[in-house]
């Protein structure tokens, strides 16, 4: 295992080095939070694919393949579909808005007053997303070093917090690009063919497993529908995803780069399901489906390759974790704290000194990172945490966000009613039906839609001046407010 350990240590050291390099570039709010809005197609595609394909897509995707066969691909497949829909239909308009958060978009569209409430919902979603990604470090470091769960979470979380705090989105973009390459080589080019060969090929897999393992709909129609509702729609409105859209240097980059990333996700989904199916042939009686990835890597791969594939799993977890962390901190600082203290000070403090926005966002990443690590140590059930996050996101924010983009008659009162009614309905239904039930997101989304339409029609239309400003921003004719640069670190 010495070679495998060396591969992992070199990889982790590289992540920290990129954090330090990113710190040299992040000299303004725009550079720190959205990489200066100037990523080209190659980097945009790679980093977008990296953030959506995290530990749940890798370890969880293989686990679903182990449990259901090829139809286990549906969870990750619906993530890819959501990214494709976002890229083709909405990404260009989102990129032209030149904002930093989803709540800022809602304020632009509805004329203010929607930010704090929507920010709280989005903050809860990004926090739980970061927590679930951080918990996954325990699984990987346990395979690598037989490490205590809490120590593994602190070690993995500390590395992500360090490079994210140092360089913000520039560091995260650079590390995500490396993570994308590592995942592609480790999972698609190495683990996938090796797993199939070790299982005897597709003919042997079909002979040894029930026919349901090769039924594309074997996981069940209701489950597939729920995945579409939660993950496909979740991709359309998540702060972690939008913040990556904001990094694109133009409409074409956002549209075509995102389309490439979404297509990659579809291939990754099928690969995970096939690996899990092969693992079922090799290890038919594992204690948990989620053990399939670690087991096949540990027992079937040669030295060196094993280290690279485990680095790929670590890359998957880190890319989602860092993206969720900076999204959580951005929402906490820009949508909640800045609004609650009275106003966003863009041009300086009370004494006329330049306000260091980079330092403020850096502090929030550090604070949120510590909160994420602490919550991850205290929490045990990853699936429940992720379900709560996506139920709140879709039930509370899907309707007012898409309504604002697609329906001129939507009003700020309708948006607020939609967020509150949808969010409360989801929470109440989860308490009644159970966190993992399908009903909370079904009925919560319907309640949110009904409240949005009814209240919007019952209140005065949005002021035409607000809508005119909104149209100017959508058309990309309003420049972004400049952010004060800060001195380069010495």
């Amino acid at each position: 295992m010495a070679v495998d350990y060396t591969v992992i240590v070199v990889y982790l050291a590289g992540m920290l080095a990129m954090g330090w390099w990113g710190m040299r570039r992040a000299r303004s709010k725009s550079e720190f939070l959205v990489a200066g809005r100037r990523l080209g197609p190659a980097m945009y595609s790679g980093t977008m694919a990296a953030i959506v394909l995290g530990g749940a897509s890798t370890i969880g995707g293989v686990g679903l393949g182990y449990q259901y066969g090829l139809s286990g691909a549906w969870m990750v497949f619906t993530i890819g579909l959501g990214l494709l829909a976002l890229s083709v239909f909405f990404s260009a308009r989102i990129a032209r808005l030149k904002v930093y958060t989803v709540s800022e978009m809602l304020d632009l569209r509805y004329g203010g007053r929607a930010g704090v409430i929507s920010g709280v919902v989005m903050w809860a979603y990004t926090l739980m997303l970061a927590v679930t990604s951080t918990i996954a470090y325990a699984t990987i470091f346990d395979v690598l070093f037989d490490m205590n769960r809490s120590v593994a979470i602190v070690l993995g979380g500390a590395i992500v917090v360090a490079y994210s705090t140092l360089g913000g989105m520039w560091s995260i973009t650079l590390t995500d690009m490396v993570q994308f390459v590592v995942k592609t080589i480790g999972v698609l080019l190495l683990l996938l063919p090796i797993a199939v060969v070790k299982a005897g090929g597709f003919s042997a897999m079909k002979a040894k497993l029930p026919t349901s393992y090769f039924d594309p709909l074997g996981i069940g129609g209701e489950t597939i529908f729920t995945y579409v509702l939660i993950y496909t729609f979740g991709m359309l409105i998540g702060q972690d995803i939008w913040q990556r859209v904001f990094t694109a240097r133009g409409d074409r980059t956002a549209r075509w780069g995102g389309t490439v990333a979404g297509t990659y996700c579809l291939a990754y989904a099928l690969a995970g399901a096939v690996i899990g199916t092969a693992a079922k042939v090799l290890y038919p009686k594992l204690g948990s489906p989620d053990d399939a990835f670690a087991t096949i890597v540990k027992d079937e791969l040669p030295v060196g390759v094993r280290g690279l594939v485990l680095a790929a799993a670590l890359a998957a977890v880190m890319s989602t974790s860092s993206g969720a962390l900076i999204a959580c901190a951005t929402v906490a600082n820009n949508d909640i704290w800045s609004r609650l203290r009275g106003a966003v000070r863009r041009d300086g403090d009370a004494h006329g000194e330049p306000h260091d926005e980079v330092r403020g966002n850096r502090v929030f990443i550090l604070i949120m990172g510590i909160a994420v690590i602490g919550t991850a140590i205290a929490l045990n059930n990853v699936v429940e945490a992720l379900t709560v996050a996506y139920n709140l996101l879709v039930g509370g924010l899907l309707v007012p966000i898409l309504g604002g983009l697609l329906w001129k008659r939507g009003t700020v009162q309708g948006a607020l009613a939609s967020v509150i009614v949808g969010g409360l309905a989801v929470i109440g239904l989860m308490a009644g039906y159970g966190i993992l039930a399908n009903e909370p997101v079904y009925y919560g989304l319907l309640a949110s839609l009904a409240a949005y339409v009814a209240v919007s029609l019952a209140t005065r239309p949005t002021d035409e001046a607000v809508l005119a400003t909104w149209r100017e921003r959508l058309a990309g004719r309003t420049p972004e407010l400049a952010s004060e640069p800060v001195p380069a670190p010495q």
Side-chain angles (χ1 to χ4, degrees):
M1 288 287 287
V3 175
D4 298 324
Y5 292 157
T6 301
V7 172
I8 298 296
V9 170
V10 169
Y11 169 77
L12 294 176
M15 296 300 101
L16 292 175
M18 288 182 185
W20 181 261
W21 186 88
M23 184 176 70
R24 314 291 298 187
R25 300 198 62 168
R27 300 180 58 194
S28 69
K29 180 179 180 180
S30 177
E31 295 280 355
F32 191 81
L33 294 181
V34 290
R37 306 188 195 275
R38 50 197 174 96
L39 294 192
M43 289 196 74
Y44 180 85
S45 298
T47 57
M48 182 62 88
I51 188 177
V52 300
L53 296 174
S57 299
T58 304
I59 298 170
V62 171
L64 287 171
Y66 182 89
Q67 189 173 2
Y68 298 104
L70 298 185
S71 66
W74 273 105
M75 183 188 77
V76 183
F77 201 83
T78 55
I79 290 174
L81 292 177
L83 187 50
L84 285 171
L86 174 71
S87 302
V88 172
F89 298 112
F90 300 108
S91 63
R93 282 185 284 176
I94 292 171
R96 287 196 295 264
L97 288 174
K98 295 291 190 294
V99 295
Y100 292 98
T101 68
V102 174
S103 294
E104 288 179 12
M105 166 263 168
L106 291 174
D107 278 353
L108 272 173
R109 166 59 182 81
Y110 295 111
R113 293 182 292 169
V116 173
I117 295 176
S118 62
V120 169
V121 175
M122 189 63 77
W123 174 79
Y125 157 73
T126 53
L127 178 71
M128 296 312 296
L129 185 61
V131 165
T132 56
S133 302
T134 304
I135 291 173
Y137 295 129
T139 301
I140 299 170
F141 282 112
D142 179 56
V143 175
L144 285 171
F145 307 117
D146 193 24
M147 187 178 289
N148 174 270
R149 177 182 182 274
S150 296
V151 174
I153 289 173
V154 170
L155 175 61
I159 292 170
V160 170
V161 171
Y163 73 69
S164 300
T165 302
L166 284 172
M169 187 59 81
W170 267 122
S171 294
I172 293 171
T173 296
L174 293 170
T175 54
D176 277 0
M177 199 63 201
V178 174
Q179 289 158 359
F180 170 74
V181 173
V182 171
K183 279 191 287 192
T184 301
I185 295 173
V187 175
L188 296 184
L189 302 184
L190 292 176
L191 182 57
L192 174 60
I194 290 173
V196 172
V197 170
K198 291 284 187 178
F202 285 104
S203 58
M205 291 162 62
K206 287 184 177 180
K208 294 177 182 178
L209 294 173
T211 56
S212 62
Y213 268 70
F214 301 92
D215 179 0
L217 303 178
I219 198 170
E222 184 178 355
T223 299
I224 295 172
F225 178 72
T226 302
Y227 284 158
V228 170
L229 203 60
I230 292 177
Y231 297 114
T232 300
F233 285 117
M235 287 296 106
L236 299 179
I237 58 174
Q239 169 68 24
D240 52 323
I241 310 302
W242 277 41
Q243 200 156 343
R244 293 310 173 95
V245 175
F246 299 150
T247 65
R249 72 182 177 202
D251 295 1
R252 287 179 59 85
T253 297
R255 182 180 294 112
W256 293 110
T259 300
V260 171
T263 304
Y264 178 90
C265 291
L266 304 183
Y268 199 88
L270 184 58
V274 171
I275 293 167
T277 304
K280 184 67 175 180
V281 173
L282 295 168
Y283 312 100
K285 296 183 179 180
L286 289 178
S288 168
D290 285 341
D291 293 335
F293 179 88
T295 302
I296 197 170
V297 169
K298 190 174 183 180
D299 294 349
E300 302 297 337
L301 298 186
V303 173
V305 173
R306 179 170 51 216
L308 183 59
V309 173
L310 286 171
L314 198 57
V317 174
M318 283 186 161
S319 56
T320 300
S321 181
S322 59
L325 176 59
I326 193 171
C328 178
T330 302
V331 171
N333 187 15
N334 290 268
D335 292 338
I336 301 175
W337 171 245
S338 292
R339 295 166 192 264
L340 291 179
R341 74 182 179 183
V344 179
R345 293 178 296 176
R346 295 184 182 273
D347 298 319
D349 60 22
H351 302 287
E353 297 293 330
H355 178 56
D356 189 343
E357 293 181 286
V358 172
R359 184 173 63 184
N361 282 290
R362 194 171 271 143
V363 168
F364 265 87
I365 290 179
L366 181 60
I367 294 171
M368 291 299 106
I370 294 171
V372 164
I373 292 172
T375 306
I377 291 173
L379 203 62
N380 287 318
N381 196 313
V382 180
V383 176
E384 289 192 358
L386 194 61
T387 301
V388 169
Y390 272 98
N391 281 354
L392 281 173
L393 177 70
V394 174
L397 291 179
L398 178 67
V399 170
I401 291 172
L402 293 189
L405 289 169
L406 300 173
W407 191 39
K408 178 182 177 180
R409 186 61 180 81
T411 67
V412 65
Q413 294 87 351
L416 288 171
S418 179
V419 173
I420 295 170
V421 171
L424 291 178
V426 164
I427 293 171
L429 290 165
M430 282 192 294
Y433 284 97
I435 290 176
L436 299 180
N438 293 327
E439 287 83 359
V441 72
Y442 293 169
Y443 300 141
L445 190 56
L446 288 174
S448 178
L449 178 60
Y452 181 71
V453 173
V455 176
S456 291
L457 292 175
T459 52
R460 294 181 60 184
T462 304
D463 187 89
E464 186 55 40
V466 171
L467 291 178
T469 302
W470 166 252
R471 287 191 292 269
E472 288 292 302
R473 293 297 286 264
L474 276 180
R477 290 192 287 265
T478 303
E480 177 183 6
L481 289 173
S483 179
E484 288 288 341
V486 298
Q490 301 299 315

